[in-house]
Amino acid sequence: MADNRKFIAMIVSEENGKFIRRIGEKSIDDLPAGEVLIRVKYSSLNYKDALSASGNKGVTRRYPHTPGIDAAGIVEESSDRDFKPGDKVIVTGFDLGMNTSGGFQQFIRVPSDWVVNLPEGLSLKESMINGTAGFTAALALFKLESLGLVPSNDEILVTGATGGVGSMAVAILAKAGYRVTASTGKTDKENYLRTLGAKVILDRKDVDDPTGKALQPTRWGGVIDSVGGNTLATALKYTKYNCSVAACGLTQSPLLNTWVYPFILRGVNLLGIDSAHCSMEIRELLWNKLANEWKPSALDLMKQECTLEGLNEKIDAILKGKITGRVVVDLE
Ligand SMILES: NC(=O)c1ccc[n+]([C@@H]2O[C@H](COP(=O)([O-])OP(=O)(O)OC[C@H]3O[C@@H](n4cnc5c(N)ncnc54)[C@H](OP(=O)(O)O)[C@@H]3O)[C@@H](O)[C@H]2O)c1
């Protein structure tokens, strides 16, 4: 039976080689097949969404498209008995917002094995302050800890620290008892980073070694990097014996030109972080941690809110590295 219920969505379309974003109307029938129809209350903006919204075919192959890799809302209909109307749920990653119509609209329909129940201790809005950024930071810490990291006096470096993943990493590490050193290009954000829990703030130039040397004196007990490129290569050179670097992102560069020496002379580990395809078992475990022992006290400080109408300018800003913290999109 046709379902013509209408709702509001961001629609990105390709017109004469240009990508145009507009806010328009869609109906339930426009959504892809899936077991769970969700009334989206909040979404959030991630760097990947901005790529999708500006025509990056590595993220989204087909347009017109609705981006949004994150969504939190209420189950409207479900053909899977694990979910029932009224359940509060979160969807992040998998193919949401990439080639599957995403969270920048008032309804999504997705496979039930993408859906996580909202854990106790988090509101729907708080889950989207975290969003993929918080989940990625949590996955990075989880992997670092699985290789032996524990709180100590060692400094843990977070790069791109005022960004989404960076801000969440600083706050989660601090909440978990680590000594955080944050590097940033936004030197006027020192107070912000200190309030999130960073003890030392560095200019991003200080963690981007131009010398070409293979190794540098050790400093970091662990690293969460969302920047990639020479900053990631630099982090490896300064990492202590048998410690680990979690590679999350590429805002500086997707290329990694590095030496083998940190790995074979210092036992340094380079950990790959892929939040999109993380197993459901780890997904649920990490969302529970984000709702409890890793829930930052300064969650609200990281948040700026906008509606679908205001999202356009935030997308342009995140592409220029100009967003501090997290943008929550209110779809109510
Ligand atoms: N692996 C995963 O599963 C996963 C999940 C989420 C995101 N990511 C990736 O992680 C990265 C960050 O995502 P996000 O959503 O947190 O983006 P974001 O909010 O824009 O944060 C990125 C930050 O990187 C820094 N930066 C920007 N341009 C830079 C440059 N040229 N050189 C050095 N630093 C630069 C800026 O921080 P400062 O101004 O503080 O230096 C910026 O705020 C992206 O590459 C994204 O694709 C990966």
Side-chain angles (χ1 to χ4, degrees):
M1 204 168 61
D3 189 340
N4 291 324
R5 278 178 288 167
K6 301 275 188 245
F7 59 88
I8 303 296
M10 170 175 276
I11 301 164
V12 183
S13 49
E14 192 171 2
E15 291 166 27
N16 305 319
K18 286 202 168 139
F19 290 86
I20 314 290
R21 297 170 215 143
R22 67 184 171 82
I23 308 305
E25 223 178 41
K26 286 168 75 170
S27 68
I28 300 289
D29 274 343
D30 295 328
L31 296 173
E35 291 87 36
V36 190
L37 178 68
I38 299 166
R39 185 183 287 272
V40 181
K41 296 286 183 185
Y42 300 98
S43 181
S44 83
L45 176 63
N46 297 278
Y47 190 75
K48 207 190 238 179
D49 299 317
L51 296 178
S52 170
S54 51
N56 185 307
K57 297 267 169 107
V59 178
T60 300
R61 289 188 301 278
R62 290 179 302 276
Y63 294 84
H65 172 65
T66 296
I69 64 172
D70 292 343
I74 296 186
V75 172
E76 183 85 1
E77 293 165 12
S78 172
S79 58
D80 183 322
R81 278 188 297 177
D82 284 348
F83 298 99
K84 56 180 189 322
D87 286 352
K88 292 182 176 171
V89 292
I90 310 169
V91 184
T92 64
F94 296 102
D95 192 48
L96 188 71
M98 296 185 67
N99 288 293
T100 300
S101 197
F104 294 168
Q105 57 189 343
Q106 290 172 316
F107 281 95
I108 56 169
R109 190 158 49 201
V110 293
S112 54
D113 52 11
W114 294 6
V115 183
V116 175
N117 282 305
L118 183 76
E120 278 207 22
L122 270 191
S123 67
L124 286 171
K125 191 186 281 185
E126 287 173 333
S127 77
M128 288 293 101
I129 303 176
N130 278 281
T132 285
F135 184 75
T136 302
L139 182 59
L141 178 54
F142 175 74
K143 276 208 165 184
L144 290 167
E145 289 192 339
S146 69
L147 282 177
L149 185 70
V150 287
S152 73
N153 275 335
D154 279 353
E155 287 175 274
I156 310 299
L157 174 68
V158 175
T159 62
T162 70
V165 175
S167 294
M168 287 303 310
V170 170
I172 292 170
L173 282 163
K175 181 75 195 288
Y178 291 91
R179 240 177 95 79
V180 183
T181 294
S183 70
T184 180
K186 303 185 191 85
T187 40
D188 59 325
K189 294 292 176 193
E190 179 161 349
N191 279 346
Y192 167 79
L193 289 169
R194 286 199 189 280
T195 313
L196 294 190
K199 292 278 181 273
V200 177
I201 319 292
L202 299 176
D203 191 295
R204 74 159 73 128
K205 290 201 240 26
D206 300 337
V207 295
D208 189 355
D209 177 16
T211 64
K213 283 188 179 172
L215 290 168
Q216 292 286 11
T218 58
R219 178 164 179 184
W220 314 126
V223 180
I224 298 183
D225 172 61
S226 58
V227 164
N230 193 53
T231 302
L232 176 56
T234 303
L236 291 165
K237 297 184 206 181
Y238 281 89
T239 296
K240 290 189 166 181
Y241 289 80
N242 293 322
C243 293
S244 308
V245 176
C248 302
L250 43 66
T251 49
Q252 180 181 37
S253 169
L255 291 179
L256 178 60
N257 184 13
T258 187
W259 298 86
V260 174
Y261 294 119
F263 308 115
I264 64 169
L265 296 181
R266 291 179 177 167
V268 168
N269 306 301
L270 178 56
L271 310 180
I273 304 301
D274 173 14
S275 60
H277 301 100
C278 175
S279 73
M280 190 46 77
E281 190 189 352
I282 292 176
R283 208 170 266 274
E284 287 176 345
L285 180 113
L286 293 181
W287 275 112
N288 269 303
K289 280 179 174 286
L290 288 167
N292 292 287
E293 69 266 34
W294 286 357
K295 183 175 180 180
S297 39
L299 207 50
D300 265 347
L301 180 74
M302 284 179 255
K303 174 201 69 175
Q304 38 181 306
E305 277 185 68
C306 71
T307 58
L308 275 185
E309 284 74 18
L311 187 53
N312 215 15
E313 65 185 61
K314 305 287 184 195
I315 289 172
D316 292 334
I318 203 169
L319 284 170
K320 294 185 189 130
K322 295 240 183 291
I323 294 282
T324 295
R326 299 276 300 139
V327 177
V328 171
V329 187
D330 187 340
L331 289 142
E332 289 198 282

